[in-house]
Amino acid sequence: MSQTIYIIGHKSPDLDSVAAAIAFANLKNKLENTSDYVPAIAEEINQITKFILDKFAISTPEVLTDASEKKIILVDHNEASQTVNGFEKADIVEILDHHKLNFQNDKPITVSIKPWGSSCSIIAQMYFDSNIVPDKNIAGLMLSAILDDTVITKSPTCTETDKALIAKLSELASVEDWQAYGLEMFKIKSSIKNFSELQIIKNDFKDFAFKTGKFGIGQVEMVDLSEVDARMDALFAEMKKLHTSENYHSLIIFFTDIINVGSRFLVVSNDLQKIEEALGQKLENNTTYIPGILSRKKQVVPMFSKIFDN
Ligand code: MG
Ligand code: MG
Ligand code: MG
């Protein structure tokens, strides 16, 4: 008897978490000659994900509001604090991810974690290892996710494997110039004009349960930071509200200039002094710019976990 197995990425889904769910379901259904694998999302998709799904004529996965009693596969995350509601009562059967492992389970399951630039890189490699050629649209979707997660290969998380996969997938997706395509994507992605302050904060946002307390760390990747400067006060006002209402120890939003490679940090915290220690520089009116910072996973989270999770 068939049973649906939902493949689902993290809350506040980014392109990689949605693309990974779709591509992994597609691959598994092909490999097992079934249709049991169904991609799902934990929350509504963001603007760029919508754009890319439309571009490649792929329908938006269903929102799984409660995973209780369901079989699920986690992609692009493994931390309880980031996963779908009801996961405590779900049957988690597999994990595919490219983040640090912070997961406990009462039975052995398949876990595929590689220190690569995106979850879609792991899945694309699985297609090629299985001698299954992804169709043009799935190839385009995976390509877009890899370019997004690796900031068009600029991120320190990007590996040689990712670069090789970008070349292969570009060919399959008939994308002639992946660098130009990536930049076009980031331009669409980075305009915050039509977003409210809360939408900007929650755009790509993750909770971390550190020993000292709950951290919320959000990132916005941009091609120009001047839009941020203009809205600084309003952003802080919204962050302060969220800091109180959601009981955060610290709320950190950083705006990354992907062209000049550096990030502006906005911080609301119960312990600003320790935050400065973690950042390695002083804050001025709760903000500072740090050159060279591009990756939450490889650069920003470790800075804070070293100080607040020990
Ligand atoms: Mg992600
Ligand atoms: Mg990812
Ligand atoms: Mg990202």
Side-chain angles (χ1 to χ4, degrees):
M1 215 177 81
S2 80
Q3 193 190 355
T4 299
I5 301 167
Y6 291 96
I7 306 187
I8 191 160
H10 52 81
K11 280 185 173 167
S12 186
D14 61 357
L15 178 57
D16 189 37
S17 66
V18 180
I22 293 167
F24 202 29
N26 180 279
L27 175 64
K28 279 188 162 287
N29 283 332
K30 281 191 170 148
L31 284 172
E32 297 176 27
N33 196 21
T34 171
S35 52
D36 290 351
Y37 297 95
V38 174
I41 46 180
E43 287 174 337
E44 290 301 332
I45 57 173
N46 63 21
Q47 184 115 318
I48 188 65
T49 304
K50 209 169 281 173
F51 175 84
I52 296 294
L53 291 181
D54 284 350
K55 182 179 172 73
F56 294 106
I58 294 169
S59 51
T60 305
E62 60 179 289
V63 181
L64 192 63
T65 45
D66 182 1
S68 308
E69 317 301 331
K70 304 229 165 24
K71 276 189 193 298
I72 56 174
I73 294 174
L74 305 183
V75 290
D76 199 42
H77 75 298
N78 67 76
E79 304 209 20
S81 60
Q82 298 165 8
T83 207
V84 59
N85 293 336
F87 75 92
E88 306 90 339
K89 289 187 188 156
D91 183 9
I92 299 174
V93 296
E94 185 172 345
I95 291 172
L96 181 142
D97 194 12
H98 67 130
H99 296 89
K100 73 177 157 72
L101 189 61
N102 184 12
F103 178 81
Q104 277 183 340
N105 205 22
D106 52 11
K107 63 170 188 183
I109 59 169
T110 302
V111 174
S112 316
I113 294 188
K114 296 220 188 286
W116 294 353
S118 76
S119 295
C120 278
S121 306
I122 305 170
I123 298 163
Q125 189 62 50
M126 283 176 169
Y127 273 95
F128 297 125
D129 289 345
S130 321
N131 290 316
I132 293 175
V133 180
D135 70 40
K136 191 175 171 179
N137 287 344
I138 294 287
L141 179 67
M142 290 193 289
L143 169 69
S144 308
I146 301 173
L147 290 172
D148 188 28
D149 258 27
T150 64
V151 193
I152 329 175
T153 73
K154 280 191 189 184
S155 170
T157 59
C158 188
T159 66
E160 290 308 313
T161 306
D162 297 301
K163 289 177 190 168
L165 290 166
I166 286 170
K168 260 181 150 168
L169 292 170
S170 297
E171 205 166 305
L172 290 172
S174 311
V175 170
E176 260 170 46
D177 182 344
W178 58 262
Q179 267 162 318
Y181 172 65
L183 199 59
E184 185 196 322
M185 252 176 59
F186 270 90
K187 275 185 189 148
I188 295 166
K189 197 182 150 173
S190 76
S191 179
I192 56 171
K193 260 187 220 86
N194 303 319
F195 292 163
S196 71
E197 279 73 27
L198 188 61
Q199 284 173 321
I200 295 169
I201 291 164
K202 289 283 187 158
N203 166 69
D204 179 3
F205 187 85
K206 286 181 182 173
D207 277 353
F208 294 89
F210 292 153
K211 289 193 182 108
T212 318
K214 184 168 70 157
F215 271 58
I217 307 180
Q219 181 177 22
V220 188
E221 289 153 336
M222 309 186 70
V223 288
D224 174 17
L225 294 187
S226 62
E227 280 185 70
V228 181
D229 301 337
R231 295 176 70 176
M232 197 81 91
D233 291 347
L235 281 163
F236 271 123
E238 201 60 52
M239 283 175 70
K240 277 176 192 154
K241 268 197 246 165
L242 199 62
H243 179 257
T244 309
S245 68
E246 301 286 316
N247 216 356
Y248 283 106
H249 177 285
S250 298
L251 197 59
I252 294 133
I253 309 297
F254 65 109
F255 295 87
T256 302
D257 181 333
I258 67 156
I259 306 293
N260 297 306
V261 185
S263 295
R264 168 151 302 281
F265 285 75
L266 277 61
V267 181
V268 177
S269 172
N270 297 339
D271 193 344
L272 283 174
Q273 217 173 334
K274 273 231 162 97
I275 294 282
E276 289 180 332
E277 198 186 313
L279 291 173
Q281 62 185 64
K282 291 269 171 215
L283 294 163
E284 212 172 298
N285 298 323
N286 291 45
T287 177
T288 189
Y289 179 85
I290 309 183
I293 299 286
L294 211 60
S295 166
R296 173 170 45 205
K297 178 170 70 176
K298 256 203 159 156
Q299 297 171 304
V300 176
V301 172
M303 284 196 297
F304 294 115
S305 63
K306 209 162 77 188
I307 305 270
F308 293 98
D309 201 28
N310 262 316

Coordinates of all heavy atoms in Angstrom, one line a residue, residues 10 14 16-17 76 98-99 149 206, ligand 1:
H10 N 13.1 23.9 5.6 CA 12.9 24.6 6.8 C 11.9 25.7 6.8 O 11.4 26.1 5.7 CB 14.3 25.3 7.3 CG 15.0 26.1 6.2 ND1 14.6 27.4 5.9 CD2 16.0 25.8 5.4 CE1 15.4 27.9 4.9 NE2 16.2 26.9 4.6
D14 N 13.8 29.3 2.0 CA 14.6 29.9 1.0 C 14.5 29.1 -0.3 O 13.9 28.0 -0.3 CB 16.0 30.2 1.4 CG 16.8 28.9 1.7 OD1 16.1 27.8 1.6 OD2 18.0 28.9 2.0
D16 N 16.6 27.2 -1.9 CA 17.3 25.9 -1.8 C 16.4 24.9 -1.1 O 16.2 23.8 -1.5 CB 18.6 26.0 -1.1 CG 19.4 24.7 -1.2 OD1 19.4 24.0 -2.2 OD2 20.1 24.4 -0.2
S17 N 15.7 25.4 0.0 CA 14.9 24.4 0.8 C 13.7 24.0 0.0 O 13.2 22.8 0.1 CB 14.5 25.0 2.1 OG 13.6 26.1 1.9
D76 N 17.6 20.4 3.7 CA 18.2 21.8 3.9 C 18.1 22.3 5.3 O 18.2 23.5 5.6 CB 17.5 22.8 2.9 CG 18.3 24.0 2.7 OD1 19.5 23.9 2.6 OD2 17.7 25.1 2.7
H98 N 23.0 20.3 4.2 CA 24.4 20.8 4.1 C 24.7 21.8 5.3 O 25.5 22.7 5.1 CB 24.7 21.4 2.8 CG 23.9 22.7 2.5 ND1 24.5 23.9 2.1 CD2 22.6 23.0 2.7 CE1 23.6 24.8 1.9 NE2 22.5 24.3 2.3
H99 N 24.1 21.5 6.4 CA 24.4 22.3 7.6 C 24.9 21.4 8.7 O 24.8 20.2 8.6 CB 23.1 23.0 8.1 CG 22.5 24.0 7.2 ND1 21.6 23.7 6.2 CD2 22.7 25.3 7.1 CE1 21.3 24.8 5.5 NE2 22.0 25.8 6.0
D149 N 22.3 29.9 -3.0 CA 22.9 29.5 -1.7 C 24.4 29.9 -1.7 O 25.0 30.2 -0.7 CB 22.8 28.0 -1.4 CG 21.7 27.8 -0.4 OD1 20.8 28.6 -0.3 OD2 21.8 26.8 0.3
K206 N 16.3 32.6 10.7 CA 16.4 31.3 11.4 C 16.6 31.5 12.9 O 17.3 32.4 13.3 CB 17.6 30.5 10.8 CG 17.4 29.9 9.5 CD 18.6 29.1 9.0 CE 18.3 28.6 7.6 NZ 19.5 28.0 7.0
Ligands
MG1 MG 18.2 27.1 3.3

